[in-house]
Each structure stands twice: as C-alpha cells, then as structure tokens.
Amino acid sequence: MSESRTVTAAALAIGDELLSGRTRDRNIGHLAELLTAAGIDLEEVRIVPDDQERIVEALNALRARYDYVFTSGGIGPTHDDITADAVAAAFGVACSHDADALALLDAHYAERGMEFTEARRRMARMPVGSRHIDNPVSKAPGFVIGNVHVMAGVPSVFQAMLDNVLPTLNTGVKMHSEKVSCPYGEGDIGDPLSAIAEAHPTVNIGSYPRFSGDRFSTEIVIRGRDQAAIAAARRDVEAMLSSTGSRLAPKAV
Amino acid sequence: MSESRTVTAAALAIGDELLSGRTRDRNIGHLAELLTAAGIDLEEVRIVPDDQERIVEALNALRARYDYVFTSGGIGPTHDDITADAVAAAFGVACSHDADALALLDAHYAERGMEFTEARRRMARMPVGSRHIDNPVSKAPGFVIGNVHVMAGVPSVFQAMLDNVLPTLNTGVKMHSEKVSCPYGEGDIGDPLSAIAEAHPTVNIGSYPRFSGDRFSTEIVIRGRDQAAIAAARRDVEAMLSSTGSRLAPKAV
C-alpha cells in the first residue's frame, strides 16, 4: 500500500452514550486530523450503539471497503464493554483471555496493590490472533486484527494508543491544504469560485461559511496532493477575491 | 408512530471538512441530546464526504431503517454544496429551484441591498415535493422530503432549524436516565455491576470511566422508559457502592 497514491480509512465509534447525547465524541476529530497529517484519507465515520449485531454489521461493511478501520470505545472492564466480542464475531474467531495481556495486567495491579478482579480480567479478552496496541496511560491494551485497530473511548487513552499505531501504518501521498480567508459571504463568491474549481480539477476547493452576528464570511480551503496545483488555484482564488472586493465596494467619487 | 413505544432516528453529517479534521462536528452531540429529550432514539450516525454517490448510498440505507433521518451540511451556495442534488437522487426525483424559496431569498437580499447571485439562487434548489424548514438565522431554508430532514452545517443555523423541526416530529415514550457518581474505577465495580445489570433487564446500565491524573472514577448511568424500574436499579447500585467502599477501605483498627 505504501506504493499507491491513496490509503483510505474509516472510523467506528461505539457507545450508547454518544447516541444519547450524554457524551460528545472527542476522538473522531482528533483521528481525522492525525490521519490527514499522516497521508491517510479518512473517508467514512459511523457511530453505533453497544449492540453486537450493529457493531458486527458496521465493522464488516467498513473493513471490506477501506484500507484501515479504527474503532473507539467498549473495551473497558464492565458488562457494557462488548467491543472485543463483537470484533471477534465479525472476524468469525473466538474471543478469549490473551495470556500476555493477563500477565501485563496482573503485574500492573499487583504493583499498585489493587485486586485483579474478574472485571479487570475482561480487559485482557481479545479476538484470537490479535496483536496488542500498547496503552501507556492505563495499561489495558487495545488490539489489531486484520486491518482493524481497536482502541479505547476515553480520549487520553485513545490518543495515546493512536500515537502508538500511527508509525505502524502504510501511508499514501500526503494531502496538502492551504487556507484563504475571505471576508465575503459564500453567496458573493460562489459563482466565480465554482469556475475556479472547474478550472483546477486536480485540487479540491472547499468553501466553509462562518456566521457571526449578522454576517457571513468564508474560509476557502484548497486541498490536493500536488503543491504546484494548489499554488496555481490559490493565485486564481486571490485574484478573484480582489475583484470581488472592487465589485462590492462602494464606488470612489 | 405516536402510539408506538419507540421512535428511531439516524444522523448523516455531510462534508469533506469533517473527515479531514479541519472542522470538528458540533451538530451530532446537540442533535443526540435534543432527540433523547424529545423521546426519539438516535440509533446511528454516519459522516460521509461531499460525494453524491456516497451521500445517496448512506441516505438510502438510513432512511429505510429508521423513522427519521437528519442531515447536516452541504446546502450552501457554493459548488461543493451538493446535498440537495444528492437527496433528490436518493429519492429519484428532480432537484430544482423552489419558487417559494426563490421569492423568500429574493426579498431577503433585496431588503439588504445585496445581489441575488446565481450562487445564492442555488440555495433555493431542493428536491421536487419538499417542504421548507424555516431558517430564522440566514433565511435560506432547509427542507423535508419523506422522513429525511435536511439542515445546514453551520451550528447556529442547524440548531435554529432543529428547533423548528422538533415540534413537528412524532415521539415515543421518553427515555429517562439517572446518573450515579462512583469514586471507584470500573475494575472495582465491574463484577457486581454486571450482576445488577442482569437482575434489571428492563433498564440499560452504562458505565463510563473518567481518567484524571493517575486514577479512574466512574459515572454510572441508568436509562429506561419505566421510572420505577430505574429507581429499583439505582437502589441496588447505591447499595453496591457502599459495600465496595467497605471492601476497599483500609480496615479500621
């Protein structure tokens, strides 16, 4: 995959709390930013409840379609943490206590004088054949099986696991992006911007409105894998903004 | 649907910027919270890029499965705003300039002395047969077709549109929830909490870790439609927390 121009990914966030509004997801945006910086295109995100059938269905759809899938949530010690079982079911393999993970956790809790409860032992369960993802924050590992990376939902743990995962991934040609701030609303620049987008088919030109008080401004983002093409599109955008300024400004006497 | 016990919904957030990490979504959590409060169960979320084929595919999957679908993003005036076309394609109807929306926007821009550009006219395009969703913030309406509610991505506009949509929806029996703060980590309470969850099958007991510094605490959330069942489960959780406290506390001399 390191030879191909694009490497694709999907995210699957798992948890009733994300769908009830109790918890606002903080992992998807972080993952998106780091994957983009690494040259991996996040192409789809799904959020599903703690329900095995729904997790299996989403995971199988995503892992068949994208180079990588990253999951968050549901790998803790309680009864509602069913991600390991669901991932095993999706791959059609058993989910069992991993000997290395048990040893790791046993030592961790012994060191801290904490009981290694049956609940904590649950965190050593993973699909047979998985590799660990180290967890420097709270020890219980995530895991990788096939192209699926299973990580914690607690943001500090998710981030630490992702930092360990990123260097192991194949990456594509990096996507570059440049921003141009535009003081006019999208309605004022939409027509000429559309013409610029058509004239520069190798870049992707995004236009993002900001609304404050009673007026819109716009951030224009030019994205692409070829920096010269981005620069050429940027010149056209900047020229367009100057002429929009002249058009909209009250005529000088 | 107002007779049934549950009304279900899905959210579809549309936009390259959500997947590149440029923008952190701020609509999904808000929608989740308001739907839950209204007695509608948000059961799935997807985020897809500004790509017609991907929008159509996700929308058709979601609208077949859930009572309602709520989309955000891609209904502005620029070339990358393709949601109206994609929704029309998903329903197999034409997308055209809506006469009422044109009149509304024409008056709006005339009043403000702004040019009614072709780009701004794009915001009046919607699938034939749609009803408007009023936009008190910036005028350009969202729209409803079938069970799909199409709203803006700018959070202030999304929120205003949602406020107009909510009173029009059928709602189910409201889901209630109670929180119990637990000073212990999930590993300390996972085993007894699992037994409580099994003993109270009509409620859903969620357990959410918080990590700060070097220790975990837990928030336990009991959700259900029957308040007496929630109260019964809560009593068992509180009794369990007392006995966990006695078990973990150093013995008094």
Side-chain angles (χ1 to χ4, degrees):
Chain A
M1 262 179 299
S2 56
E3 299 293 311
S4 69
R5 282 191 61 81
T6 62
V7 178
T8 62
L12 178 62
I14 298 164
D16 292 350
E17 72 278 17
L18 302 170
L19 296 166
S20 73
R22 177 199 166 274
T23 303
R24 306 269 163 129
D25 167 81
R26 284 161 53 201
N27 296 324
I28 294 167
H30 178 78
L31 176 69
E33 199 175 305
L34 268 63
L35 289 180
T36 297
I40 296 173
D41 296 350
L42 181 63
E43 296 204 348
E44 182 171 350
V45 174
R46 298 195 191 183
I47 307 177
V48 297
D50 298 306
D51 176 288
Q52 176 158 324
E53 200 179 316
R54 310 300 305 281
I55 299 169
V56 169
E57 180 191 349
L59 189 61
N60 280 340
L62 297 173
R63 72 189 180 93
R65 186 164 200 163
Y66 303 103
D67 295 324
Y68 293 115
V69 180
F70 302 91
T71 80
S72 62
I75 61 169
T78 54
H79 64 282
D80 57 341
D81 291 304
I82 64 166
T83 297
D85 289 278
V87 173
F91 279 86
V93 302
C95 186
S96 63
H97 288 92
D98 178 88
D100 291 345
L102 279 177
L104 193 75
L105 291 171
D106 193 8
H108 172 68
Y109 290 114
E111 198 176 295
R112 297 159 65 97
M114 290 165 77
E115 196 184 344
F116 193 24
T117 57
E118 191 52 43
R120 292 197 170 106
R121 288 171 55 89
R122 269 178 74 80
M123 294 189 286
R125 296 178 76 248
M126 55 184 73
V128 169
S130 300
R131 295 193 312 278
H132 291 195
I133 299 174
D134 281 351
N135 169 2
V137 176
S138 54
K139 220 65 181 179
F143 57 86
V144 186
I145 178 168
N147 60 346
V148 177
H149 293 72
V150 177
M151 299 185 283
V154 175
S156 59
V157 184
F158 180 88
Q159 291 165 21
M161 288 183 173
L162 184 60
D163 288 343
N164 284 330
V165 162
L166 281 170
T168 71
L169 303 175
N170 294 314
T171 55
V173 177
K174 200 169 286 189
M175 189 68 101
H176 299 278
S177 83
E178 293 198 18
K179 296 179 192 179
V180 183
S181 285
C182 160
Y184 317 113
E186 289 188 305
D188 284 317
I189 57 157
D191 298 329
L193 191 66
S194 173
I196 293 171
E198 269 178 47
H200 296 270
T202 66
V203 302
N204 174 308
I205 302 183
S207 155
Y208 305 109
R210 256 199 208 129
F211 187 75
S212 67
D214 67 342
R215 58 192 296 274
F216 278 99
S217 60
T218 308
E219 185 174 86
I220 298 168
V221 178
I222 308 164
R223 301 174 71 233
R225 294 195 154 78
D226 176 353
Q227 302 211 46
I230 294 176
R234 182 183 187 122
R235 280 191 297 274
D236 282 1
V237 168
E238 286 170 341
M240 180 272 286
L241 291 182
S242 304
S243 69
T244 302
S246 315
R247 178 164 59 85
L248 295 179
K251 296 234 169 15
V253 282
Chain B
M1 268 179 295
S2 56
E3 299 295 311
S4 70
R5 281 191 64 80
T6 63
V7 177
T8 62
L12 178 62
I14 298 164
D16 292 350
E17 72 280 16
L18 302 170
L19 296 166
S20 72
R22 178 199 166 275
T23 303
R24 308 266 164 133
D25 167 81
R26 284 162 54 201
N27 296 325
I28 295 168
H30 178 79
L31 176 69
E33 199 175 307
L34 267 63
L35 290 180
T36 298
I40 296 173
D41 295 349
L42 180 64
E43 295 204 350
E44 181 170 350
V45 174
R46 298 195 191 184
I47 307 177
V48 297
D50 298 306
D51 176 288
Q52 176 158 324
E53 201 180 315
R54 311 298 308 282
I55 298 170
V56 169
E57 180 192 348
L59 189 62
N60 280 339
L62 296 174
R63 72 189 179 95
R65 186 164 199 164
Y66 303 104
D67 295 324
Y68 293 116
V69 180
F70 302 90
T71 80
S72 61
I75 61 168
T78 54
H79 64 282
D80 56 341
D81 290 305
I82 63 167
T83 297
D85 290 278
V87 173
F91 278 87
V93 302
C95 187
S96 64
H97 288 92
D98 178 88
D100 291 344
L102 279 176
L104 193 75
L105 291 171
D106 193 8
H108 173 68
Y109 291 113
E111 199 176 293
R112 296 158 65 97
M114 291 165 75
E115 197 185 343
F116 193 23
T117 58
E118 192 52 42
R120 292 195 170 109
R121 287 172 56 89
R122 269 178 74 77
M123 294 190 287
R125 296 178 76 249
M126 54 185 75
V128 170
S130 300
R131 295 196 311 278
H132 290 198
I133 299 174
D134 281 351
N135 169 2
V137 176
S138 55
K139 219 65 180 179
F143 56 86
V144 185
I145 177 168
N147 61 344
V148 177
H149 294 72
V150 177
M151 298 185 285
V154 175
S156 59
V157 183
F158 180 88
Q159 290 165 22
M161 287 182 174
L162 184 59
D163 287 345
N164 283 331
V165 162
L166 281 171
T168 70
L169 304 175
N170 295 313
T171 54
V173 177
K174 199 169 287 188
M175 188 68 99
H176 299 279
S177 83
E178 293 198 17
K179 297 178 193 179
V180 182
S181 285
C182 160
Y184 317 112
E186 288 188 306
D188 284 318
I189 57 155
D191 298 330
L193 191 67
S194 173
I196 294 171
E198 269 179 45
H200 296 271
T202 65
V203 301
N204 174 308
I205 301 182
S207 156
Y208 305 109
R210 256 197 212 132
F211 188 75
S212 66
D214 67 341
R215 58 192 297 275
F216 279 99
S217 60
T218 308
E219 184 173 87
I220 298 167
V221 179
I222 307 165
R223 301 175 70 233
R225 294 194 154 81
D226 175 352
Q227 303 212 47
I230 293 176
R234 181 182 187 125
R235 279 190 297 274
D236 282 0
V237 167
E238 286 171 341
M240 179 272 285
L241 292 181
S242 304
S243 68
T244 302
S246 315
R247 178 165 58 87
L248 295 179
K251 296 232 168 21
V253 284

